[in-house]
């Protein structure tokens, strides 16, 4: 496996369900990110973890709960979501040293809330 | 005023054409500028990365940054059907802890054979 891998690729869930999205990076990076991508809107940064510590939380509702157990893995735990949460959820990683630090993305989880 | 403006298109060009994609921004603190390509049902893929003003060329792709005008461009020469995708501009400030990338909405490009 190379790059950034996200599972599942598609998820359909009811508003009362609990599920988790998983992200794994094989690039040796030490920062990981969750983004939300909705139609006709720019990518929205949700959470940032650097060296396994959460460093940004962009006013995301508490029904989204991130977890970063180590520098290679990132989870997004979901519970009691709303229909407006239907979107593509993208994970990214970067190396937090040097000036550039480009972010590399996975292919996302397409989430549909019934 | 939105921080990053990008015409969503769609933009349709014939194969072999030169394509020009653009973004404007309002935050003068942005120092690093990126272009991502996103194919349908895939994640964004980093295409070009530039720092401050100037040009950068990579094969058929050229990125330009004009900080005085707060304007960035991506040129694609000899466009191919495989270039059909959505192109996202992104930018961020400088310094440790400047994690936040600000994205444009993306421009959908179709290259017609």
């Amino acid at each position: 496996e190379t790059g950034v891998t996200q599972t599942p690729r598609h998820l359909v869930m009811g508003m009362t369900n609990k599920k988790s999205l998983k992200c794994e990076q094989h690039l040796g990076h030490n920062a990981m990110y969750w983004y939300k991508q909705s139609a006709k809107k720019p990518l929205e940064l949700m959470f940032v973890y650097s060296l396994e510590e959460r460093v940004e939380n962009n006013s995301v509702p508490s029904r989204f709960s991130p977890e970063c157990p180590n520098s290679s893995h990132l989870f997004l735990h979901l519970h009691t979501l709303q229909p407006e949460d239907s979107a593509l959820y993208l994970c990214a990683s970067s190396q937090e040293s040097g000036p550039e630090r480009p972010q590399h993305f996975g292919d996302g989880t397409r989430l549909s809330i019934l | 005023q939105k921080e990053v403006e990008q015409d969503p298109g769609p933009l349709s060009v014939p194969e072999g054409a030169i394509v020009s994609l653009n973004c404007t921004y309002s935050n003068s603190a942005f120092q690093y500028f990126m272009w991502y390509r996103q194919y349908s049902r895939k994640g964004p893929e980093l295409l070009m990365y530039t720092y401050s003003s100037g040009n950068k060329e990579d094969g058929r792709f050229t990125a330009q940054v004009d900080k005085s005008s707060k304007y960035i461009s991506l040129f694609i020469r000899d466009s191919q059907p495989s270039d059909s995708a959505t192109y996202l501009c992104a930018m961020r400030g400088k310094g440790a802890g400047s994690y936040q990338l600000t994205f444009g909405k993306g421009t959908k490009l179709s290259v017609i054979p």
Side-chain angles (χ1 to χ4, degrees), chain B residues 22-74:
Chain B
N22 312 294
C23 289
T24 58
Y25 64 95
S26 57
N27 188 342
S28 57
F30 289 143
Q31 296 280 341
Y32 294 95
F33 303 91
M34 287 135 272
W35 286 95
Y36 285 85
R37 177 176 63 194
Q38 186 172 20
Y39 291 114
S40 180
R41 289 187 277 280
K42 301 286 274 184
E45 168 196 10
L46 183 64
L47 263 184
M48 300 285 285
Y49 195 113
T50 51
Y51 170 65
S52 197
S53 285
N55 292 3
K56 186 174 183 179
E57 191 173 317
D58 184 1
R60 296 185 295 111
F61 298 90
T62 299
Q64 284 187 353
V65 175
D66 181 349
K67 288 193 68 185
S68 62
S69 302
K70 296 189 177 69
Y71 187 88
I72 70 170
S73 301
L74 178 71

Side-chain angles (χ1 to χ4, degrees), chain A residues 69-111:
Chain A
N70 55 61
S71 60
S72 299
H73 294 86
L74 185 66
F75 295 89
L76 188 63
H77 304 298
L78 317 171
H79 65 97
T80 57
L81 295 192
Q82 304 299 308
E84 62 266 27
D85 298 323
S86 297
L88 181 68
Y89 288 85
L90 291 161
C91 173
S93 69
S94 68
Q95 183 59 30
E96 291 304 295
S97 60
E100 297 198 340
R101 318 200 290 269
Q103 294 179 21
H104 298 264
F105 286 82
D107 286 335
T109 295
R110 173 69 62 185
L111 177 64

Side-chain angles (χ1 to χ4, degrees), chain A residues 11-13 15 36-39 44 63-64 81-89 109-114:
Chain A
L11 180 61
V12 179
M13 57 187 284
M15 290 167 60
K36 177 182 179 183
Q37 188 174 35
S38 305
E44 300 170 56
R63 57 186 184 268
F64 295 91
L81 295 192
Q82 304 299 308
E84 62 266 27
D85 298 323
S86 297
L88 181 68
Y89 288 85
T109 295
R110 173 69 62 185
L111 177 64
S112 299
I113 307 300
L114 300 177

